[in-house]
């Protein structure tokens, strides 16, 4: 009752909100999840006389699709024409699924005309309507106009990259080279994103992002984004959305933006069954997905599993200063990694009536990652060798996660909707290591063990209401409650093998961390006839924290945030779209940053969390220019961000372990970022496309670091450059080729920098049996592996770490589909959308 009272005890404030850029400045569109129109070009519009508008009770509905690539023609114009006087009596705009519907049609004979810029008009004549008729015209196919065909021949090659008013969309289902890989392989190819060798994701130089799966949060993502990406097979991902300027509807967290991973879904009547498999030098995968729809009820069942195996080698050199002594460490090691990941789901959607829908789903994920390390550690004091040891470490990271969702939506009329969404999510994690320490003559000297179990629970309840005002305005309002609980129990043992005991310097402990968030938002959308679009809004969040660290209550005050946002866009006469945006965001600390477990799997590089962290706050500005030229598209964006109270890693020498470094997290920093992104999608011929771009930004970091004289203000800065390029070639008889390459230059941290990296891949695919199946082969980094170098220093220490990853890979893929399918309307859905969590290190792997 206390949580429910907390949730309903706040009042939402009045605000405004932006529109999605639409062709021709039509009415605001979207489904409440921020789906805008797909283009910035102008549409045709129809004027009709209200006196001739239908006044009966008959209905006409249908879908408008592209005849070449059989996808919906979003926001196509549809006119209903009285054949007696040739007057347009009613007009409609197709939604994002291509669906349109006319109601209250009087008896008579009509023609229906569907049109869209770049397509030839399609007219259906002699539609005879009787009283009470409900006519389904099925699919209306629009063909590319001859003028456009003269400029470029259209094929079934869909664009890999699309750009909307508030987001960029990467269509991963068209990516040949990622098949058989995991989510990290897909995200590496998305403009504006950077994914390191461990799977840690950053956006425009910041790891403070929120990752959603199908517009929903998940505790598996909250615990570790890198681990979650390993659990999602690339074959399951339909698209990736990068939202750089979230509206007030989204949670306030994620200082640099939101990443939404959409998985493949079914919109069929009947059944289908698909098999996806792959085997490679570094990993294998198997997936089976089935869908069944009978009348108003649909079911989906899927299971995906992946295993990977890899090896790496590393070196570590570091020195620390303590008084008059200088301690040195040289470390050489080899490691072998093995992991098995799986994700399974069961879903059901029910059409309760023509205006009410119910959606339910259960997803289960599992992860089992093992790493065996063999390290030689040499220790020095003032240049003299004092000890050598051989350390064998077995690390076990396991988790299982469950998400349960139940959503209801009521549609009064297009864009007038009310929804209720609920979710329960739980993730159980185990992060343990066992170490055996040998002398250089192979004599067992001692052992160490760290046992750390975590449970992350989350309950979310939200309701959203959206209502159009006329044809050019949209009002949205919603409230939300998030109730989180994280528990971490940890134990550190040391001694001879078979007689391990607790260490007095690192005793056992636990953390119980409860966080309750109450939120509300209002937004207002306006589009004008002269192609201006405005979306402004404000969001209020109140956060209450109740935390206990080893039986001692932590003094963390509750806090509240008012988070404004504004997006403005203008379509100029030459087709150039200009967009400007401002938003304020916050970033709460994550589980890895909060967890006080003393992790000494590497005794010379120890990590420990800080449960007393508070959120960081950022202000973001963005200005972008985009233009479509025939079937090609280019975009240039400038952005700036300032973050205060920034959560940064802080490294300093250990007071208890000679020569060791301890890394923790503190609210000590300030970060300023300014840069630009450029990307484009170009069709060179009817069957050959190239897309790619580059990112460059200046990063300034400032914070308090430990020195010989105590804590002092320090800073670091640098320019980071990254880029990617992909080419697709569609050949005859179902053959296809794809090549990809990408890189990221050196990036700076407060106390050091990390070297750049590069990826490349080549894939070949052959469709079989009338495109019901395909076989393929892909090569990743086939010339050599990757080397990553990290350095950090102060006047008390210096550290250099070099990792060599043997990630050359060759993989074979196979997929096949069975079933009797036909297109049906994609049911409206609403879902829980928590966007407010941050992770540890360079990953967005947080619980809060």
């Amino acid at each position: 009752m206390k949580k429910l009272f907390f949730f309903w005890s706040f009042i939402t404030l009045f605000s405004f909100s932006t529109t999605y850029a639409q062709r021709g400045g039509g009415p605001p569109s979207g489904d409440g999840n921020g789906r805008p129109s797909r283009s910035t070009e102008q549409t045709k519009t129809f004027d009709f006389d209200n006196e001739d508008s239908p006044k009966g009770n008959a209905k006409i509905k249908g879908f408008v699709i592209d005849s070449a690539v059989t996808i919906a023609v979003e926001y196509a114009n549809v006119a209903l024409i009285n054949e007696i006087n040739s007057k347009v009596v009613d007009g409609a705009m197709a939604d994002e699924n291509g669906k349109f519907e006319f109601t209250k049609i009087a008896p008579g004979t009509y023609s229906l005309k569907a049109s869209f810029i770049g397509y030839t008009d399609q007219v259906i004549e002699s539609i005879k309507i009787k009283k009470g008729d409900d006519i389904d015209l099925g699919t209306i196919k629009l063909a590319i106009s001859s003028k456009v065909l003269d400029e470029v021949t259209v094929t079934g090659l869909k664009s890999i990259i699309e750009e909307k008013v508030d987001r960029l969309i990467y269509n991963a289902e068209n990516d040949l080279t990622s098949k058989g890989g995991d989510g990290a392989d897909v995200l590496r190819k998305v403009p504006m994103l950077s994914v390191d060798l461990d799977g840690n994701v950053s956006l425009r130089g910041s790891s403070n992002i929120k990752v959603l799966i199908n517009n929903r949060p998940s505790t598996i993502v909250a615990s570790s984004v890198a681990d979650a990406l390993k659990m999602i097979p690339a074959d399951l991902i339909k698209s990736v959305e990068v939202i750089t300027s979230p509206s007030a509807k989204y949670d306030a967290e994620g200082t640099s933006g939101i990443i939404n991973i959409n998985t493949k879904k079914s919109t069929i009547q009947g059944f289908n069954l698909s098999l996806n498999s792959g085997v490679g030098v570094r990993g294998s995968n198997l997936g089976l997905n089935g869908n069944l729809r009978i009348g108003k009820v649909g079911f989906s069942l899927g299971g995906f599993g992946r295993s990977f195996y890899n090896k790496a080698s590393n070196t570590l050199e570091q020195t620390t200063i303590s008084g008059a002594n200088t301690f040195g460490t040289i470390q050489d090691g080899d490691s072998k990694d093995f992991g098995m990941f799986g994700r399974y789901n069961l879903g059901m959607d029910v059409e309760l009536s023509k205006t009410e829908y119910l959606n339910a789903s259960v997803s289960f994920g599992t992860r089992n990652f093992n790493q065996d390390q063999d390290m030689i550690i040499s220790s020095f004091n003032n240049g003299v060798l004092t000890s050598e040891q051989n350390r064998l470490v077995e690390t076990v990271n396991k988790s299982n996660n469950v998400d349960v969702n139940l959503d209801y939506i009521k549609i009064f009329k297009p864009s007038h909707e009310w929804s209720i969404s609920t979710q329960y999510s739980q993730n159980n994690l185990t992060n343990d290591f066992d170490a055996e320490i040998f002398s250089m003559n192979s004599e067992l000297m001692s052992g160490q063990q760290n046992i750390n179990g975590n449970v992350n629970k989350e309950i979310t309840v939200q309701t959203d209401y959206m209502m159009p005002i006329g044809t050019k305005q949209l009002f949205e309002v919603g409230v939300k409650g998030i109730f989180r609980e994280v528990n971490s129990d940890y134990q550190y043992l040391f001694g001879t093998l078979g007689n391990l005991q607790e260490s007095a310097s690192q005793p056992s402990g636990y953390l119980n961390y409860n966080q309750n968030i109450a939120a509300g938002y209002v937004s207002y959308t306006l589009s004008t006839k002269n192609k201006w679009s405005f979306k402004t809004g404000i969001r209020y969040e109140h956060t209450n924290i109740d935390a206990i660290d080893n039986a001692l209550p932590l003094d963390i005050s509750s806090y509240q945030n008012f988070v404004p946002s504004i997006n403005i866009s203008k379509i100029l006469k030459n087709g150039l779209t200009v967009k400007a945006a401002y938003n304020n965001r916050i970033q709460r600390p994550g589980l890895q940053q909060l967890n006080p477990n003393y992790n000494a799997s590497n005794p010379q590089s120890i990590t420990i969390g800080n449960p007393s962290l508070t959120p960081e706050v950022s202000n973001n500005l963005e200005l972008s220019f985009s233009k479509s030229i025939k079937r090609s598209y280019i975009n240039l964006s400038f952005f700036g961000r300032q973050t205060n109270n920034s959560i940064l890693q802080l490294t300093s020498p250990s007071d208890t372990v000679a020569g060791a470094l301890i890394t923790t997290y503190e609210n000590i920093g300030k970060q300023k970022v300014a840069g630009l992104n450029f990307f484009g999608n170009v069709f060179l011929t009817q069957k050959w496309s190239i897309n790619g771009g580059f990112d460059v930004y200046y990063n300034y970091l400032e914070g308090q670091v430990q020195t010989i004289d105590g804590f002092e203000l320090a800073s670091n800065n640098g320019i980071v450059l990254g880029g990617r390029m992909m080419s697709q070639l569609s050949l005859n008889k179902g053959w296809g080729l794809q090549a990809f390459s990408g890189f990221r230059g050196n990036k700076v941290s407060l106390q050091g920098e990390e070297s750049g990296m590069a990826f490349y891949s080549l894939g070949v695919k052959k469709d079989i049996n009338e495109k019901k199946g395909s076989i393929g082969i892909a090569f990743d980094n086939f010339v050599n592996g990757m080397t990553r170098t990290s350095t950090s220093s102060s006047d008390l220490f210096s550290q250099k770490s070099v990792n060599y990853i043997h990630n050359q890979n060759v993989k074979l893929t196979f997929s096949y589909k069975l079933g009797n399918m036909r297109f049906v309307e994609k049911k409206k859905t609403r879902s829980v959308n928590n966007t407010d969590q941050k992770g540890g290190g360079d990953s967005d792997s947080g619980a809060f």
Side-chain angles (χ1 to χ4, degrees):
M1 291 300 293
K2 180 179 179 181
K3 290 182 177 180
L4 290 177
F5 175 79
F6 175 77
F7 173 49
W8 295 109
S9 64
F10 67 96
I11 301 175
T12 59
L13 302 178
F14 176 80
S15 83
F16 302 95
S17 170
T18 96
T19 192
Y20 312 120
Q22 301 177 6
R23 301 192 183 203
S29 62
D31 63 358
N33 287 328
R35 294 190 183 98
S37 62
R38 65 174 188 172
S39 176
T40 58
E41 298 181 27
Q42 184 178 8
T43 59
K44 301 176 184 177
T45 58
F46 297 100
D47 296 322
F48 57 90
D49 190 342
N50 288 332
E51 294 181 358
D52 294 315
S53 61
K55 295 181 175 62
N57 61 354
K59 297 179 181 179
I60 296 178
K61 61 183 177 181
F63 291 88
V64 183
I65 68 172
D66 185 311
S67 63
V69 292
T70 61
I71 60 173
V73 179
E74 303 175 35
Y75 313 112
N77 286 288
V78 185
L80 189 64
I81 303 169
N82 189 321
E83 289 197 348
I84 296 176
N85 56 20
S86 299
K87 288 187 176 182
V88 177
V89 298
D90 203 356
M93 181 179 289
D95 65 14
E96 68 272 10
N97 299 310
K99 184 188 177 185
F100 66 89
E101 183 175 9
F102 294 104
T103 60
K104 299 180 180 180
I105 302 175
T109 302
Y110 300 89
S111 295
L112 186 140
K113 182 178 181 180
S115 62
F116 201 66
I117 188 74
Y119 291 88
T120 300
D121 296 348
Q122 179 71 17
V123 179
I124 300 176
E125 299 178 339
S126 300
I127 304 173
K128 295 182 179 180
I129 301 295
K130 297 179 182 179
K131 184 177 180 180
D133 280 352
D134 190 347
I135 296 177
D136 188 348
L137 297 178
T139 57
I140 300 174
K141 297 181 179 181
L142 297 186
I144 298 294
S145 69
S146 58
K147 179 180 179 181
V148 174
L149 288 173
D150 289 339
E151 296 173 344
V152 57
T153 302
V154 176
T155 70
L157 191 61
K158 184 181 178 183
S159 297
I160 286 282
I161 298 174
E162 297 179 70
E163 199 259 348
K164 309 289 187 178
V165 69
D166 63 343
R167 70 194 64 197
L168 175 141
I169 301 175
Y170 178 82
N171 291 305
E173 60 184 338
N174 301 317
D175 184 351
L176 305 182
T177 59
S178 292
K179 289 185 178 296
D182 58 25
D185 296 321
V186 175
L187 264 64
R188 285 191 180 99
K189 302 173 184 178
V190 180
M192 296 185 285
L193 298 185
S194 177
V195 183
D196 68 16
L197 299 180
D198 297 320
N200 300 315
V201 185
S202 61
L203 168 59
R204 291 175 169 173
S206 172
S207 60
N208 302 338
I209 53 179
K210 178 62 182 178
V211 177
L212 306 175
I213 300 176
N214 295 324
N215 286 301
R216 292 181 169 94
S218 174
T219 51
I220 187 63
V221 178
S223 301
S224 172
V225 169
D227 290 338
L229 293 178
K230 293 182 178 71
M231 293 175 61
I232 305 175
D235 303 279
L236 180 62
I237 299 176
K238 179 181 180 181
S239 64
V240 179
E241 299 177 343
V242 182
I243 307 172
T244 57
S245 184
S247 69
K249 186 179 182 72
Y250 289 96
D251 292 340
E253 198 146 348
T255 55
S256 61
I258 296 168
I259 299 172
N260 181 38
I261 299 173
N262 292 306
T263 58
K264 295 176 181 178
K265 302 175 184 178
S266 173
T267 56
I268 63 164
Q269 185 74 34
F271 80 96
N272 80 329
L273 185 67
S274 62
L275 170 70
N276 295 281
S277 62
V279 59
V281 176
R282 299 297 178 193
S284 300
N285 66 285
L286 177 64
L288 189 66
N289 187 46
N291 297 274
L292 173 67
R293 180 171 295 280
I294 304 174
K296 298 181 179 181
V297 181
F299 301 92
S300 63
L301 177 65
F304 301 88
R306 182 175 183 269
S307 64
F308 83 93
Y309 16 90
N310 207 351
K311 62 179 181 178
S313 57
N314 61 81
T315 62
L316 176 70
E317 298 180 4
Q318 69 184 38
T319 59
T320 62
I321 298 174
S322 178
N325 295 315
T326 299
F327 297 98
T329 299
I330 297 177
Q331 179 177 296
D332 292 285
D334 296 295
S335 63
K336 295 181 179 180
D337 301 339
F338 176 77
M340 297 187 68
F341 309 91
R343 190 162 182 87
Y344 317 94
N345 61 82
L346 174 65
M348 181 181 72
D349 62 85
V350 182
E351 184 179 341
L352 301 176
S353 69
K354 292 185 177 181
T355 61
E356 295 179 289
Y357 303 97
L358 189 68
N359 298 273
S361 64
V362 178
S363 299
F364 177 77
T366 182
R367 173 178 64 97
N368 194 334
F369 174 77
N370 294 273
Q371 183 183 70
D372 294 324
Q373 293 177 287
D374 186 348
M375 297 185 289
I376 302 295
I377 303 175
S378 303
S379 300
F380 302 82
N381 186 357
N382 295 322
V384 179
L385 179 66
T386 56
S387 69
E388 282 188 297
Q389 60 177 245
N390 181 200
R391 185 179 179 90
L392 303 181
V393 182
E394 179 185 6
T395 302
V396 177
N397 290 321
K398 298 187 297 184
S399 70
N400 58 77
N401 159 262
V402 63
D403 294 328
V404 182
N405 295 273
L406 182 63
D407 309 316
Y408 166 82
I409 181 171
K410 168 72 173 179
I411 302 175
F412 302 98
K413 60 181 182 179
S415 298
H416 188 187
E417 304 170 2
W418 173 56
S419 63
I420 300 175
S421 302
T422 62
Q423 182 186 62
Y424 173 79
S425 185
Q426 178 172 325
N427 192 23
N428 302 315
L429 303 98
T430 299
N431 298 293
D432 300 340
F433 79 82
D434 288 280
E436 296 178 347
I437 296 95
F438 295 84
S439 65
M440 295 308 295
N441 58 6
S442 301
E443 177 185 356
L444 180 62
M445 298 189 299
S446 61
Q448 289 176 301
Q449 187 177 45
N450 180 210
I451 302 172
N452 184 208
N454 305 274
V455 179
N456 190 352
K457 299 178 182 179
E458 186 173 291
I459 298 173
T460 304
V461 181
Q462 72 181 66
T463 182
D464 300 280
Y465 178 77
M466 59 188 297
M467 180 183 68
I469 304 172
T471 60
K472 305 243 181 234
Q473 302 173 75
L474 182 68
F475 174 77
E476 297 176 89
V477 63
V479 293
K480 184 175 188 177
I482 307 173
F483 313 105
R484 295 185 176 125
E485 180 181 355
V486 170
N487 295 291
S488 177
D489 293 299
Y490 51 92
Q491 189 176 21
Y492 187 79
L493 306 176
F494 180 83
T496 58
L497 211 61
N499 188 30
L500 298 178
Q501 299 179 357
E502 284 193 16
S503 169
S505 59
Q506 291 93 36
S508 302
Y510 69 91
L511 172 69
N512 182 265
Y513 196 99
N514 294 276
Q515 182 187 83
N516 297 326
I517 303 170
Y521 73 92
V522 290
S523 68
Y524 172 76
T525 300
L526 170 67
S527 62
T528 68
K529 292 182 179 180
N530 55 359
K531 303 178 187 177
W532 281 97
S533 298
F534 302 89
K535 183 176 188 127
T536 62
I538 193 166
R539 185 179 185 90
Y540 169 78
E541 293 191 353
H542 180 87
T543 305
N544 184 68
I545 297 173
D546 182 14
I548 298 176
D549 182 14
N550 287 325
L552 297 176
L554 296 177
D555 184 16
I556 304 177
S557 302
S558 61
Y559 53 90
Q560 58 186 1
N561 299 91
F562 290 92
V563 184
S565 65
I566 180 168
N567 289 270
I568 303 173
S569 68
K570 166 68 173 176
I571 304 175
L572 304 179
K573 290 183 178 180
N574 60 1
L576 179 69
T577 299
V578 182
K579 293 183 290 187
Y582 164 79
N583 62 72
N584 178 259
R585 311 287 293 169
I586 66 173
Q587 188 71 51
R588 299 180 180 94
L591 173 58
Q592 292 185 1
Q593 297 168 320
L594 295 167
N595 190 357
N597 175 54
Y598 184 91
N599 189 334
S601 57
N602 185 336
Q604 302 305 113
S605 184
I606 301 165
T607 60
I608 185 170
N610 179 5
S612 298
L613 292 173
T614 58
E616 56 187 34
V617 181
S618 71
N619 291 281
N620 302 271
L621 288 170
E622 182 175 356
L623 176 66
S624 69
F625 305 87
S626 60
K627 183 176 176 61
S628 295
I629 306 172
K630 298 181 182 179
R631 292 197 69 207
S632 300
Y633 175 82
I634 56 174
N635 176 281
L636 176 64
S637 300
F638 300 89
F639 63 90
R641 179 179 66 251
Q642 177 169 320
T643 304
N644 299 316
N645 200 40
S646 184
I647 300 172
L648 297 177
Q649 286 187 341
L650 181 64
T651 301
S652 58
S654 171
D655 294 332
T656 57
V657 182
L661 293 175
I662 294 181
T663 298
T664 187
Y665 303 90
E666 298 285 351
N667 290 107
I668 58 172
K670 177 186 294 185
Q671 183 180 26
K672 297 179 181 180
V673 176
L676 64 88
N677 306 119
F678 173 82
F679 60 88
N681 191 43
V682 179
F683 283 84
L684 300 178
T685 71
Q686 60 181 13
K687 296 183 178 181
W688 187 12
S689 73
I690 292 179
N691 71 78
F694 65 89
D695 319 314
V696 58
Y697 62 89
Y698 172 77
N699 190 12
Y700 173 83
L701 296 157
E702 180 182 292
Q704 296 285 331
V705 300
Q706 187 176 359
T707 67
I708 294 176
D709 299 323
F711 282 91
E712 294 183 358
L713 185 66
S715 64
N716 197 6
N717 65 86
I719 295 176
V720 183
L721 179 66
R724 62 203 58 80
M725 183 71 70
M726 180 184 293
S727 181
Q728 281 187 303
L729 181 62
S730 178
L731 302 175
N732 296 329
K733 298 182 180 180
W735 285 94
L737 297 175
Q738 181 174 293
F740 167 79
S741 63
F743 75 96
R744 191 216 68 205
N746 295 354
K747 68 174 185 178
V748 298
S749 62
L750 179 61
Q751 295 177 289
E753 70 173 18
E754 181 180 297
S755 65
M757 58 185 180
F759 301 89
Y760 51 91
S761 58
L762 177 66
V764 182
K765 186 191 75 166
K766 174 69 169 69
D767 293 328
I768 58 176
N769 197 12
E770 298 180 345
K771 295 188 177 182
K772 291 183 179 179
S774 68
I775 55 176
I777 185 170
F779 307 86
D780 299 323
N781 304 302
F782 42 85
V783 176
N784 51 35
M786 300 183 189
T787 301
R788 179 177 62 183
T789 302
S790 300
T791 60
S792 59
S793 63
S794 74
D795 57 0
L796 288 176
F797 77 92
S798 66
Q799 182 187 67
K800 180 180 180 180
S801 174
V802 180
N803 292 320
Y804 181 77
I805 312 297
H806 304 266
N807 61 347
Q808 302 96 321
N809 189 28
V810 179
K811 53 192 176 186
L812 299 172
T813 62
F814 172 78
S815 65
Y816 202 84
K817 297 179 181 180
L818 298 171
N820 178 23
M821 302 172 289
R822 68 180 180 88
F823 181 78
V824 297
E825 178 187 0
K826 182 179 176 183
K827 303 303 178 186
K828 288 278 188 175
T829 61
R830 286 293 180 272
S831 60
V832 167
N833 184 14
N834 295 347
T835 54
D836 67 334
Q837 305 172 357
K838 169 172 177 150
D842 288 333
S843 68
D844 174 31
S845 49
F848 309 115

